[in-house]
Amino acid sequence: MSESRSLRIAVLIDHIESDYHFDVIRGVVRAAHTARVKTLIVTGGWLGKSDTDIVSRNFIYDLLAGARLDGIIVMAGSLSNACGLPRLIEWLHRFKHIPIVTVGLDVPEFPSVYVDNEVGVHKVVSHLIEDHQRHRIAFIGGTSDSPEILARRNAYTRALREHGLETDERLIVPGGLGREAGGLAREDGALSVETLLEARRFTPATLNAIVGANDDVALGALA
């Protein structure tokens, strides 16, 4: 590689709207600036479940396959929300000739930086039960296609079970009704609360706590 050319990395992300996305991008840009590496932020929209599932903006990702890149950071948690982990792995192989690191999800075959999605939610639900005596707890947002959300939902049901509480499926409201795929936008939180209170007829007597699948969903629920 010519010494005259600066190193260049790309960050692949579905969109930049939440504080989480902003914080990650700021961290990447700051580290890249310190290392004198050029950064390309690619907001190509969410991924479809197959190559035939055409999604607006996805073509931007395809333009990168032949680009002169020295590395790619993939926001795997966000990009897998609508398509699932197997589809994400299949999609990533088109960039396998470039070093890849995934963020937010443990992706087999690729170096990954991620958190344990179950620990936090398990502690939240346990806190509501033990410290606040809340026994009718809803879980809202996310879709069944997202590996992150499945882990968080499993932690929710496990915490209930460990405290001797049964899971009421009517208290679980997946997102996906809002404009963003994955069911993790603020409007998904608001729509989920509307579903609980209006469509499913819950009241403060039958519903006394809500756990959001992520921060944006929780903020939408509060609104």
Side-chain angles (χ1 to χ4, degrees), residues 180-201:
E180 288 294 342
L184 294 169
R186 292 195 183 193
E187 54 262 49
D188 289 296
L191 290 169
S192 294
V193 170
E194 181 180 336
T195 297
L196 287 168
L197 300 182
E198 296 187 11
R200 300 187 183 179
R201 304 293 183 180

Side-chain angles (χ1 to χ4, degrees), residues 34-48:
T34 301
R36 297 184 179 180
V37 173
K38 293 183 178 179
T39 310
L40 175 65
I41 311 299
V42 183
T43 54
W46 51 279
L47 297 180

Side-chain angles (χ1 to χ4, degrees), residues 122-135 137-138 208-211:
H122 185 276
K123 287 186 176 181
V124 164
V125 177
S126 297
H127 170 77
L128 288 170
I129 297 170
E130 296 169 5
D131 293 6
H132 298 281
Q133 291 74 52
R134 306 294 177 169
H135 297 154
I137 305 170
N208 51 34
I210 296 175
V211 173

Side-chain angles (χ1 to χ4, degrees), residues 52-176:
T52 60
D53 185 13
I54 303 301
V55 180
S56 176
R57 290 190 290 165
N58 272 185
F59 72 91
I60 297 175
Y61 297 128
D62 294 330
L63 297 178
L64 295 175
R68 297 180 65 187
L69 294 173
D70 301 292
I72 296 178
I73 297 173
V74 179
M75 298 298 294
S78 298
L79 286 173
S80 66
N81 279 331
C83 68
L85 182 58
R87 166 60 178 155
L88 176 69
I89 295 173
E90 174 193 351
W91 180 79
L92 285 176
H93 277 98
R94 69 185 63 191
F95 307 114
K96 209 169 182 181
H97 60 289
I98 306 171
I100 293 175
V101 174
T102 67
V103 176
L105 196 65
D106 182 13
V107 181
E109 304 179 42
F110 298 94
S112 305
V113 179
Y114 61 97
V115 299
D116 189 327
N117 281 288
E118 292 199 24
V119 170
V121 172
H122 185 276
K123 287 186 176 181
V124 164
V125 177
S126 297
H127 170 77
L128 288 170
I129 297 170
E130 296 169 5
D131 293 6
H132 298 281
Q133 291 74 52
R134 306 294 177 169
H135 297 154
R136 301 288 295 169
I137 305 170
F139 183 91
I140 63 173
T143 69
S144 58
D145 294 310
S146 167
E148 285 186 302
I149 299 308
L150 283 175
R152 295 171 191 177
R153 195 178 300 169
N154 288 339
Y156 159 80
T157 57
R158 180 165 60 86
L160 293 178
R161 184 173 63 252
E162 290 175 358
H163 288 84
L165 301 174
E166 293 186 4
T167 301
D168 184 345
E169 293 296 332
R170 296 190 311 128
L171 286 171
I172 300 176
V173 185

